[in-house]
Amino acid sequence: MAIVPIFTAMIRACIFDLDGVLVDTAHYHFLAWRRLANQLGFDFDEKANEALKGVGRMESLDIILGWGGLSKTRPEKEALAHQKNEWYRAYIREMTPGEVLPGVAGFLDQLDAQGIRKGIGSSSKNAKTILRQVGLTDRFEVIVDGTDLQRSKPDPQVFQLGAERLGLSPRECIVFEDAAAGIEAALAGGFWAVGVGDAEIFPGAHIAIPGLENLHWSALLEKLPL
Ligand code: BG6
Ligand code: MG
């Protein structure tokens, strides 16, 4: 009888979104955008804020202006985005290693022990500042951030660039994301997608986990339909 080889995908790297997966900057983005909306005369809540997660700065501003029924010229938009970023940067300048989310350091250690490579795939132009503030820069071999991108999540460009710089194919990489737009981006690029947070937010993800705390590499691999 002929022996039919069974090929299973080999995972060689994990690519992490930053905001909301490794650190809780998603909340600082919310506070700064909300302050801007309030200044413009309207409000929005954390539930509405879900739509902004993973989405680039100018794209987020367009969504928010839409909520307020406002239209602005390009120079006005640039001034508003700049103002929001100033408020946001005041938060991140105060960040310390204590703000790395629970379980992150331990999970990165597990990956090191298994020889799994690690990258960042973030839409944020502030990603490198945040990584430096919380002492995580040296833990990642490859960092793709908003300064590298022409297209915002849900476009897969951010993760494709990450895989390219690692010299790997998407099927060799697992993406960890807290945003619906990020999971969409990972799936569109052909990556394995792990949703971090409330499972309802990303029905398409291969797996959903509440966070990296108590996450075991071997248990995660068993759950992926490799
Ligand atoms: C993403 C955040 O990581 O970065 C979004 O989830 C944010 O909320 C985007 O809008 C861009 O961030 P920044 O720091 O460049 O304004
Ligand atoms: Mg995020």
Side-chain angles (χ1 to χ4, degrees), residues 149-203:
L149 304 176
Q150 285 79 45
R151 298 180 300 280
S152 178
K153 297 171 189 174
D155 188 284
Q157 187 188 25
V158 61
F159 301 126
Q160 284 168 337
L161 261 180
E164 203 177 296
R165 290 185 190 171
L166 287 162
L168 297 174
S169 71
R171 265 307 190 238
E172 294 175 298
C173 306
I174 305 178
V175 166
F176 291 77
E177 256 294 347
D178 72 317
I183 291 292
E184 225 182 289
L187 294 173
F191 293 83
W192 299 103
V194 175
V196 182
D198 197 342
E200 288 165 22
I201 298 169
F202 14 70

Side-chain angles (χ1 to χ4, degrees), residues 19 29 52-57 60 88 122-126:
D19 294 322
H29 277 295
L52 306 178
K53 287 187 179 174
V55 179
R57 194 181 304 166
S60 298
Y88 178 66
S122 169
S123 306
S124 172
K125 294 190 165 85
N126 293 297

Side-chain angles (χ1 to χ4, degrees), residues 10-17 21-22 107-108 110-112 114-121 139-143 159 162-163 166 168-170 172-177 191-192 194 212 215 217 220-221 224:
M10 173 68 118
I11 302 298
R12 298 188 190 278
C14 290
I15 303 179
F16 296 87
D17 170 49
V21 171
L22 305 180
F107 187 66
L108 298 180
Q110 289 184 55
L111 297 183
D112 288 344
Q114 298 294 328
I116 301 294
R117 297 162 69 195
K118 309 188 294 312
I120 292 285
R139 302 230 50 183
F140 299 94
E141 188 179 333
V142 158
I143 298 172
F159 301 126
L166 287 162
L168 297 174
S169 71
E172 294 175 298
C173 306
I174 305 178
V175 166
F176 291 77
E177 256 294 347
F191 293 83
W192 299 103
V194 175
L212 300 188
L215 180 63
W217 176 243
L220 181 77
L221 281 186
L224 275 180

